[in-house]
Amino acid sequence: MKNVTLKDVAKAAGVSYATVSRALSGSSQIGSETRERVLKLCDEMGYTTNFVARSMVTKRTNLIGLVVPSVDNQFMSELAYHAEVSARSHGYNIMLCDSGPDLRQEKTVVKLLLGRQVDGILIVPQSSRSYESLKPYLDQTPTVFLSENLRDQPQSYVAVDNSRGTYLGTQYLYELGHRDILYFGQRQSTTHQLRAEGYLKACQELGLAPRYFNSEYTRSSIQGGYQLAKELFQKPLDYTAIFASTDSNALGVLTAADELGIDIPGRLSLIGFDNISATALSRIDLTTIDQPKKAMAVQAVDMLRDKIEHGTQGYVHQILLPTLIRRGTCKEPFSR
């Protein structure tokens, strides 16, 4: 099968090659009537831009790689959506790669994107070890990390103040009257360490005894939260509130509690973290900590564009503030 070329369109339209090129680029050097006729003919003939050929001339592919640990994680998919919308508004397309389940796969997809000559890469890292694993490749193209706080690493990133988020949530539960608050689903990553630190700081300042029920899973999921909660609920409920480390874990807690007849919020209050869209559904109505996903994605894309288009050197650490979203899964403690 033969691809339709600019010359084919020009011949069919009875205009020059340059006229077709100007019509496609939106140039003001041709009349609107001619432009519309040429563009209509391009659609009818099935013409598509040869981006490979164009990139050889412009030295740009107008492609941004986006690496996420799990496309089926709702927080990741929402973050990817906002990144794509922002990138597209500036003339870039997104090449999305799932880096799960380990550092080797993460390195593989980054190498793939470099081989595709993307103009830059956005990375939601697998873990705190991702930076060291990817370090040999980070100087080969502009790179911005997203969502994970790399602390003092010399790479640009955009993240939320995770510690502040759990501090706010714990403080809110305390104000409702809760004194026995269980932190649920902590695992080994910088993000989770920061969230646990915020919870601990609030407990210390408020005179509460910190309590944890940790997760051995490598990532958060509803199914993982459900399995953990079933294990947790086999023991006496000697706490009045659960602070789940992610909304996915909180949704797992809700499922297990429903199966076992544990009333939320009547018997237990529950708060999550992330504010994924499912938490606002009327049958869920989960109190949670909002990560400003759109703002995070837009700022990361802007930061990356600055590196691509202006050759900006150095690095920026952008930390955004979280917000407490009060919904229906928290109330005053259950009276025994």
Side-chain angles (χ1 to χ4, degrees):
M1 296 179 66
K2 181 178 178 294
N3 289 334
V4 178
T5 66
L6 283 180
K7 290 182 179 179
D8 295 329
V9 176
K11 183 178 179 180
V15 298
S16 69
Y17 176 96
T19 297
V20 177
S21 180
R22 291 187 182 110
L24 290 168
S25 66
S27 170
S28 60
Q29 295 180 339
I30 63 171
S32 58
E33 184 178 330
T34 301
R35 179 184 300 106
E36 290 175 9
R37 183 166 63 87
V38 170
L39 293 177
K40 182 180 179 182
L41 196 56
C42 285
D43 285 340
E44 291 173 351
M45 296 177 67
Y47 171 77
T48 57
T49 303
N50 187 333
F51 288 102
V52 174
R54 175 181 288 184
S55 68
M56 293 175 68
V57 176
T58 63
K59 307 302 180 185
R60 293 267 183 87
T61 60
N62 290 98
L63 275 177
I64 290 175
L66 173 58
V67 180
V68 299
S70 179
V71 175
D72 64 355
N73 178 288
Q74 191 173 350
F75 171 76
M76 299 297 174
S77 62
E78 290 179 20
L79 200 62
Y81 166 76
H82 291 300
E84 182 173 14
V85 170
S86 178
R88 193 187 305 128
S89 70
H90 295 288
Y92 292 89
N93 291 304
I94 289 285
M95 182 176 286
L96 178 63
C97 293
D98 191 311
S99 66
D102 53 39
L103 293 174
R104 288 177 299 175
Q105 177 67 10
E106 185 176 53
K107 187 182 296 185
T108 296
V109 297
V110 167
K111 291 166 66 176
L112 167 68
L113 292 170
L114 291 173
R116 294 287 184 177
Q117 299 293 299
V118 295
D119 294 333
I121 303 179
L122 296 170
I123 302 175
V124 181
Q126 280 274 351
S127 72
S128 57
R129 295 179 295 157
S130 293
Y131 172 74
E132 289 300 327
S133 172
L134 298 174
K135 197 172 182 179
Y137 307 99
L138 298 180
D139 291 334
Q140 298 184 36
T141 194
T143 303
V144 172
F145 286 85
L146 180 57
S147 181
E148 183 84 0
N149 186 318
L150 299 177
R151 297 194 186 244
D152 297 325
Q153 296 291 0
Q155 279 290 326
S156 293
Y157 64 79
V158 180
V160 74
D161 190 337
N162 287 287
S163 179
R164 176 66 178 166
T166 46
Y167 183 93
L168 286 174
T170 306
Q171 186 178 52
Y172 172 63
L173 291 170
Y174 182 87
E175 290 170 354
L176 287 175
H178 294 277
R179 299 296 182 265
D180 296 298
I181 303 168
L182 177 72
Y183 190 74
F184 177 89
Q186 179 188 3
R187 58 185 180 84
Q188 295 302 312
S189 76
T190 304
T191 290
H192 282 264
Q193 290 171 8
L194 288 166
R195 291 182 185 181
E197 287 173 11
Y199 163 76
L200 177 61
K201 179 181 178 183
C203 286
Q204 290 172 337
E205 292 186 4
L206 298 170
L208 306 180
R211 304 179 61 180
Y212 302 90
F213 194 82
N214 295 336
S215 171
E216 298 299 323
Y217 293 101
T218 57
R219 63 185 59 181
S220 296
S221 68
I222 297 174
Q223 183 62 26
Y226 168 72
Q227 295 296 339
L228 283 172
K230 285 208 305 182
E231 180 183 342
L232 173 67
F233 290 151
Q234 290 176 5
K235 302 172 184 178
L237 301 183
D238 54 354
Y239 44 89
T240 62
I242 294 177
F243 197 144
S245 60
T246 66
D247 283 346
S248 295
N249 279 331
L251 293 176
V253 172
L254 278 172
T255 304
D258 186 57
E259 281 188 5
L260 296 170
I262 300 172
D263 182 21
I264 292 177
R267 178 63 182 82
L268 282 177
S269 285
L270 175 66
I271 185 171
F273 199 120
D274 289 332
N275 194 28
I276 59 177
S277 58
T279 61
L281 295 173
S282 59
R283 293 292 296 274
I284 297 175
D285 200 31
L286 178 69
T287 297
T288 186
I289 302 298
D290 177 58
Q291 289 204 66
K293 295 174 283 296
K294 181 177 179 179
M296 289 168 63
V298 168
Q299 291 196 30
V301 169
D302 287 347
M303 198 180 290
L304 187 61
R305 286 196 307 110
D306 196 41
K307 291 174 176 286
I308 294 169
E309 296 168 11
H310 303 115
T312 305
Q313 301 298 311
Y315 58 91
V316 177
H317 294 168
Q318 187 72 37
I319 308 295
L320 305 185
L321 291 176
T323 306
L324 173 66
I325 306 297
R326 296 174 175 86
R327 296 198 182 109
T329 56
C330 291
K331 61 179 295 188
E332 295 80 7
F334 168 76
S335 298
R336 292 182 176 84

